[in-house]
Amino acid sequence: MKFLVTGSNGQLGFELVRTLTPLGEIAATDRRTLDLSRPETIAPAIRELKPDVILNAAAYTAVDLAESEPVAATMVNATAPGILADEAKRSGALLVHYSTDYVFDGTKTGPYTEDDTPNPLSVYGRTKWEGEQAIQASGCDHLILRTSWVYGPRGKNFLLTILRLAREKPLLKIVNDQIGAPTSTQTLAEATTHILRQWQPRQSGLFHLTASGHTSWHGFAKLIVDLAGPPYPGVEPIPTSEYRTAARRPLNSRLDCNKVSAQFGLQLPDWEQAARGVIAQLLASTPRPT
Ligand SMILES: NC(=O)c1ccc[n+]([C@@H]2O[C@H](COP(=O)([O-])OP(=O)(O)OC[C@H]3O[C@@H](n4cnc5c(N)ncnc54)[C@H](OP(=O)(O)O)[C@@H]3O)[C@@H](O)[C@H]2O)c1
């Protein structure tokens, strides 16, 4: 088996490479070796590498910046996945692609299922939805895995930001009216591997894949601060209306994961248990300031 991973320097791409290594040969590509903003380079690269499975972990993920860079976001999040899908169709490869809770507007009461119609509030969400549609239209074997609130021990994410701010500031003001499931890169990479081990061609489709349970950004920040130890900054809940950002985010980001659990026999970990594990690992490997 040969796996091609795009965005292998990103938080998920890095973890995928690590987790998939026992399963076969890995071609780990990054922006330097496979630039998804240069569409003309994508097909030749895929034809040269000849992967059995393409895992697209690259994305334009700067949610606020995307509002002023819609062309760049569209290229990476919509055009490039379409080309990867066409190449997968041509060669018979499987395309595993990651998408986002931000395809929804967050107005639903209760978790979103795969049958709910997206209505993105942001350029990022719209371009990610367009990427999903391009893959579905290609007719290639595919798994589109929609996830939420991704964090891990490296890269840019909420967990690492709060750990840093907890050392720098006496008070953190964090929104408490956006809810979702923080999902670790380890959970995603292990679930992807589990799915790949048993995947059959007829199982192509769109699946929601997050940790189980849910919290708010405030709840997630409280857990991080409590586990990080002293000095304990205050963590004040604020509404989204008091935290201005260029892009609008859905208030309800909960995704129903029953379909992926049933189809692939997956037991998804509770978000808090998984987060406690990652935070403990990080604290153990980072010397505390004296
Ligand atoms: N982060 C979240 O909270 C979240 C939530 C839901 C879904 N997702 C989805 O999960 C997937 C993985 O996200 P992540 O959190 O791992 O993102 P990430 O850490 O931002 O990684 C994205 C990777 O894509 C690469 N990339 C960007 N533009 C590229 C280009 N033109 N050519 C090649 N590579 C390019 C980046 O490279 P550079 O490092 O060089 O910029 C980076 O390595 C994405 O599909 C994302 O939409 C993420």
Side-chain angles (χ1 to χ4, degrees):
M1 268 298 199
K2 184 165 183 182
F3 301 93
L4 185 155
V5 179
T6 68
S8 64
N9 279 334
Q11 43 172 355
L12 175 59
F14 183 85
E15 196 64 33
L16 280 172
V17 170
R18 226 164 59 100
T19 311
L20 288 168
T21 295
L23 266 61
E25 185 186 345
I26 314 278
T29 66
D30 58 17
R31 184 195 293 272
R32 203 173 33 85
T33 50
L34 179 52
D35 183 349
L36 298 190
S37 66
R38 295 176 57 216
E40 72 285 359
T41 64
I42 299 174
I46 305 291
R47 289 177 196 192
E48 190 185 326
L49 292 165
K50 298 185 179 55
D52 302 297
V53 182
I54 302 166
L55 296 108
N56 184 28
Y60 184 114
T61 54
V63 175
D64 291 311
L65 193 59
E67 295 297 309
S68 53
E69 294 190 345
V71 175
T74 301
M75 192 65 83
V76 178
N77 291 346
T79 310
I83 299 170
L84 292 174
D86 289 342
E87 286 306 305
K89 173 74 179 167
R90 196 190 60 81
S91 66
L94 166 66
L95 174 61
V96 181
H97 175 80
Y98 297 88
S99 191
T100 173
D101 51 314
Y102 284 11
V103 299
F104 294 116
D105 63 17
T107 56
K108 183 177 177 180
T109 311
Y112 282 93
T113 72
E114 291 83 351
D115 293 331
D116 286 317
T117 306
N119 182 31
L121 300 174
S122 62
V123 169
Y124 168 74
R126 174 175 56 74
T127 59
K128 291 295 290 183
W129 185 29
E130 288 168 357
E132 294 180 2
Q133 294 171 89
I135 293 167
Q136 287 161 336
S138 75
C140 74
D141 285 340
H142 66 269
L143 293 165
I144 298 170
L145 305 175
R146 273 193 200 137
T147 191
S148 66
W149 296 21
V150 177
Y151 69 92
R154 69 195 302 279
K156 252 195 190 167
N157 60 59
F158 183 82
L159 166 58
L160 296 178
T161 302
I162 296 295
L163 278 177
R164 177 175 51 79
L165 292 178
R167 304 265 174 261
E168 294 172 5
K169 296 193 183 250
L171 178 65
L172 310 180
K173 294 185 178 185
I174 311 287
V175 297
N176 72 340
D177 55 358
Q178 291 175 32
I179 57 167
T183 303
S184 78
T185 51
Q186 193 181 341
T187 295
L188 284 170
E190 284 173 2
T192 302
T193 306
H194 174 95
I195 292 169
L196 285 176
R197 283 185 193 276
Q198 46 182 291
W199 187 81
Q200 306 286 331
R202 67 180 187 288
Q203 292 175 312
S204 272
L206 167 67
F207 297 91
H208 288 175
L209 180 65
T210 69
S212 56
H214 68 276
T215 185
S216 65
W217 289 117
H218 176 262
F220 191 18
K222 273 286 289 165
L223 177 76
I224 298 164
V225 164
D226 287 349
L227 294 179
Y232 293 103
V235 186
E236 183 183 314
I238 56 165
T240 299
S241 55
E242 282 182 27
Y243 186 71
R244 295 221 167 256
T245 52
R248 285 175 67 204
R249 272 107 170 133
L251 293 182
N252 173 19
S253 272
R254 294 178 65 194
L255 301 180
D256 179 319
C257 299
N258 284 322
K259 183 180 170 192
V260 79
S261 294
Q263 191 147 329
F264 297 104
L266 259 180
Q267 293 282 8
L268 292 163
D270 172 67
W271 77 266
E272 183 174 333
Q273 202 186 329
R276 282 176 179 272
V278 175
I279 295 165
Q281 269 172 30
L282 271 170
L283 294 174
S285 63
T286 317
R288 295 174 62 78
T290 48

